[in-house]
Amino acid sequence: MIKTEQRGYPVRGGETYESLAELAAKGDDESFVALCDALKTVLFRTAKGILGDDRLALDAVSEAVYRAYKGIRRLRHPKYAATWFTRILINAAYDIYRTQKRETALDEVRETACLDDYDDLEFKELISSLSPGLRKIISLKYYSEFTLEEISSILKIPVGTVKSRLNRALKQLRTEING
């Protein structure tokens, strides 16, 4: 039975992220699976916002689930399970991003030559023109719909810093769009 929490993410049988994480930390694999299932949409959106590619985003989510499973017993505060999991995902996505960056430009040329949706390509290019830190903020805010406070908690930076980075990212995007 799936219910929804206040933020709108599905949770098993009325349980919260916290209760699922608590049980998972004690070795309950079924609760870990339920926690992953509850977070899968937000994790995918975050990864897609960072990486800009469905396949890479799925790879990042898979890697994050693996890392979280290995480390769930060390989760000290189950009430922050969603934030903890998102932080793991961001690290996994950036590991993949760094790996992808090393690929040759020829691969990128082949990929873009096959695209018919030029508006989508232009948008991806705009987002990819941002620094990784700014792209992370945009991804968390607009792809995953986290609040500024939640982003602050995930990235472990003050809310004011989140606001200024978001403002800087939007300003850069506006400058790029307006030429």
Side-chain angles (χ1 to χ4, degrees):
M1 199 73 182
I2 294 179
K3 289 191 174 189
T4 56
E5 268 192 344
Q6 289 179 350
R7 290 224 350 106
Y9 304 125
V11 178
R12 177 184 75 175
E15 294 175 311
T16 64
Y17 295 147
E18 182 178 358
S19 63
L20 290 173
E22 245 179 73
L23 292 170
K26 293 177 183 173
D28 184 355
D29 289 341
E30 190 176 304
S31 293
F32 181 79
V33 170
L35 179 64
C36 292
D37 190 49
L39 292 169
K40 69 184 175 190
T41 301
V42 74
L43 294 173
F44 178 77
R45 286 181 183 166
T46 301
K48 173 112 188 239
I50 292 169
L51 297 167
D53 178 86
D54 288 351
R55 181 184 56 82
L56 295 176
L58 287 172
D59 287 348
V61 171
S62 295
E63 179 63 22
V65 168
Y66 171 73
R67 290 178 187 181
Y69 184 75
K70 282 179 51 179
I72 190 73
R73 292 182 188 267
R74 293 187 310 269
L75 177 62
R76 286 176 275 174
H77 304 289
K79 69 180 178 180
Y80 298 118
T83 302
W84 173 77
F85 218 124
T86 304
R87 183 77 231 159
I88 291 171
L89 173 81
I90 289 170
N91 290 333
Y94 274 100
D95 289 346
I96 290 171
Y97 175 76
R98 283 188 290 275
T99 302
Q100 290 299 313
K101 219 168 132 178
R102 294 182 199 127
E103 289 187 359
T104 65
L106 183 58
D107 289 339
E108 291 178 24
V109 170
R110 283 188 206 140
E111 184 178 307
T112 56
C114 297
L115 291 175
D116 290 332
D117 190 355
Y118 295 108
D119 290 336
D120 189 41
L121 176 61
E122 186 177 324
F123 181 73
K124 285 180 182 178
E125 287 176 0
L126 281 172
I127 296 297
S128 67
S129 72
L130 296 173
S131 69
L134 296 181
R135 193 168 41 248
K136 188 184 324 179
I137 298 284
I138 292 289
S139 173
L140 290 170
K141 177 67 177 155
Y142 295 107
Y143 287 105
S144 300
E145 300 175 350
F146 281 109
T147 65
L148 297 176
E149 290 76 19
E150 289 170 325
I151 295 169
S152 169
S153 177
I154 290 167
L155 299 179
K156 298 178 183 169
I157 58 176
V159 175
T161 304
V162 172
K163 289 178 184 178
S164 65
R165 288 182 186 173
L166 180 60
N167 186 32
R168 189 176 328 128
L170 293 174
K171 187 176 180 180
Q172 279 184 347
L173 290 173
R174 278 188 213 106
T175 302
E176 289 289 326
I177 289 170
N178 294 330

